[in-house]
Amino acid sequence: MVRRAAGASGASRVKGARRPEVRLPPLEPSGQAELEPDGDYDGLEFLERDLSGQDGAGARFMDCALRGCALDETRLHHARFLDSALTGIRGVGTDLAESTLRDVELIDARLGGVQLHGAALERVVIRGGKIDYLNLRTAVLKDVVFESCVLVEPDFGGARLERVEFVDCALKGVDLTAATLKDVDLRGVAALEIARGVDRLAGAVVSPSQLLDLAPVLAAELGIRVEG
């Protein structure tokens, strides 16, 4: 089940993202077993587990909750997170490349250098927390909401973003090189810094004040000299 994000209206001429409604069933504790490649985890709660360095490549997490887990250098390449909630996870160098996140809530994460290149995110809410050096190159994001979070030097190079919203967020040093945007709402970004790819903003909507802030970058991209 999904619901449309607040703030999207016909007058805005941008389609709002559909948010997930994650309703977890009663969960069983995961125990102390380590993650396994191609593992199948259904209806489990991983509570304050140290999963650092473990290999869960290709694993499937269905109706699961990860709460307060450490994911330093955890290998989750090509994993699938479906109808799941990840709360308070932390880690550096977590490998989620080419993974699938569908109907997922990621709340208050503290991550650095997380690899999500080539991933597919659909109906995902990322709320709170801070993610440094997020690698989303060539990823596909559809119906994704970033809310009240800080993204430092996120890399959307070559990614496709459709119905993506940023609400009360900070985007610092974002890279949009070769990205494709459709119905991307940046008006809720409190601090918007585009390091590369300002020419790829077609398909996004910004506020008048953001346009003024972007004017120097746009002028430089177009080769316009501004002199007083």
Side-chain angles (χ1 to χ4, degrees):
M1 183 180 295
V2 297
R3 59 188 177 89
R4 192 164 298 281
S9 67
S12 68
R13 296 186 182 180
V14 59
K15 294 180 180 178
R18 297 178 298 164
R19 295 177 182 241
E21 289 188 354
V22 179
R23 296 175 180 173
L24 295 174
L27 303 176
E28 296 290 334
S30 65
Q32 296 301 313
E34 291 196 356
L35 298 178
E36 297 180 357
D38 299 316
D40 197 356
Y41 307 99
D42 196 339
L44 296 180
E45 179 184 40
F46 296 79
L47 181 61
E48 297 182 358
R49 294 280 310 278
D50 186 355
L51 305 175
S52 300
Q54 296 187 21
D55 189 355
R60 184 188 76 116
F61 297 83
M62 177 75 178
D63 289 325
C64 286
L66 277 68
R67 299 188 172 110
C69 294
L71 299 174
D72 295 283
E73 304 293 339
T74 305
R75 294 177 293 280
L76 290 164
H77 181 92
H78 216 271
R80 289 175 292 160
F81 290 85
L82 312 171
D83 296 288
S84 294
L86 288 67
T87 304
I89 61 173
R90 63 195 185 279
V92 175
T94 309
D95 182 5
L96 284 158
E98 299 182 345
S99 61
T100 297
L101 282 70
R102 187 168 66 244
D103 294 306
V104 167
E105 294 179 346
L106 176 60
I107 310 298
D108 293 330
R110 296 282 177 174
L111 299 169
V114 60
Q115 300 298 312
L116 272 162
H117 55 85
L121 284 68
E122 183 173 1
R123 295 188 300 275
V124 174
V125 169
I126 299 173
R127 182 185 303 118
K130 181 181 180 185
I131 306 178
D132 296 324
Y133 313 113
L134 172 62
N135 184 352
L136 279 163
R137 294 186 69 84
T138 69
V140 177
L141 289 75
K142 187 173 183 180
D143 293 312
V144 176
V145 178
F146 295 89
E147 184 175 294
S148 303
C149 59
V150 177
L151 303 180
V152 178
E153 296 190 25
D155 189 350
F156 293 97
R160 289 188 289 140
L161 288 70
E162 181 177 356
R163 294 196 300 272
V164 176
E165 296 185 30
F166 296 86
V167 182
D168 192 26
C169 291
L171 278 175
K172 302 180 179 180
V174 61
D175 188 347
L176 293 172
T177 303
T180 302
L181 279 57
K182 180 179 180 182
D183 292 315
V184 174
D185 195 341
L186 295 168
R187 291 171 296 180
V189 177
L192 178 59
E193 300 174 6
I194 298 179
R196 290 171 294 277
V198 69
D199 60 313
R200 307 301 295 186
L201 280 174
V205 59
V206 300
S207 69
S209 62
Q210 288 172 329
L211 181 59
L212 289 175
D213 292 338
L214 289 169
V217 181
L218 290 168
E221 177 68 26
L222 295 171
I224 300 172
R225 295 174 57 185
V226 181
E227 298 181 357

